[in-house]
Amino acid sequence: MPRLTWTAEMDAVVREHYPDGGSPAVVAALGGAITLTQASGRAVKLGVRTTFRSGRRRWKPHEDEALRQAWDGGVAARLAALPGRSLRSIEMRGHELGLALPRMDTEPLAQAMARIDALTRARLAAEQPNAE
């Protein structure tokens, strides 16, 4: 793999995105052209620090708005709209904002439960001796 040559534009992306989003935000902003290791290594070299690893980051108003807009687009849309946020944190924030996850279709589950119930009853009936 050839050695990466960093440009001034790429350094600007690191300075802008690394403080709040860490390496995942930098990689996303650069369209996946670099690895997480390259992003964090460049941030160290530039002296850029992050709050990303230090626990929960506060949600910013523009992130809440991005989440609201991407919510109905599915998991991929939510992750793409919020680089640097985990799926779990996105779902938790959606819950805090009152956004509902799509309900699972319960009909197939109900049918399966009815079939299991019928098989169990048939097995129990077969195991009982005939009363005469």
Side-chain angles (χ1 to χ4, degrees):
M1 180 175 216
R3 184 175 172 90
L4 177 65
T5 302
W6 287 87
T7 65
E9 292 81 14
M10 293 169 80
D11 286 347
V13 169
V14 172
R15 288 186 178 99
E16 178 183 349
H17 293 280
Y18 192 79
D20 289 331
S23 296
V26 174
V27 171
L30 292 174
I34 62 169
T35 65
L36 293 170
T37 303
Q38 289 170 321
S40 62
R42 189 60 177 182
V44 168
K45 186 168 186 165
L46 295 173
V48 180
R49 294 182 173 262
T50 183
T51 59
F52 184 68
R53 284 177 280 123
S54 63
R56 289 180 44 138
R57 289 185 296 131
R58 294 191 184 277
W59 282 77
K60 296 178 180 158
H62 74 274
E63 289 179 306
D64 286 344
E65 184 56 32
L67 180 57
R68 284 184 184 98
Q69 291 177 2
W71 190 258
D72 291 332
V75 172
R78 291 181 212 132
L79 287 170
L82 296 157
R85 295 285 186 178
S86 69
L87 178 58
R88 179 74 178 133
S89 70
I90 289 170
E91 289 176 345
M92 288 174 60
R93 185 59 177 178
H95 177 73
E96 291 169 3
L97 295 174
L99 302 173
L101 286 171
R103 292 186 59 93
M104 187 175 87
D105 183 7
T106 58
E107 186 60 30
L109 178 61
Q111 290 174 353
M113 294 302 292
R115 190 167 40 94
I116 291 169
D117 186 49
L119 289 171
T120 302
R121 287 181 188 192
R123 183 180 53 88
L124 291 173
E127 290 176 356
Q128 290 184 358
N130 289 336
E132 292 187 28

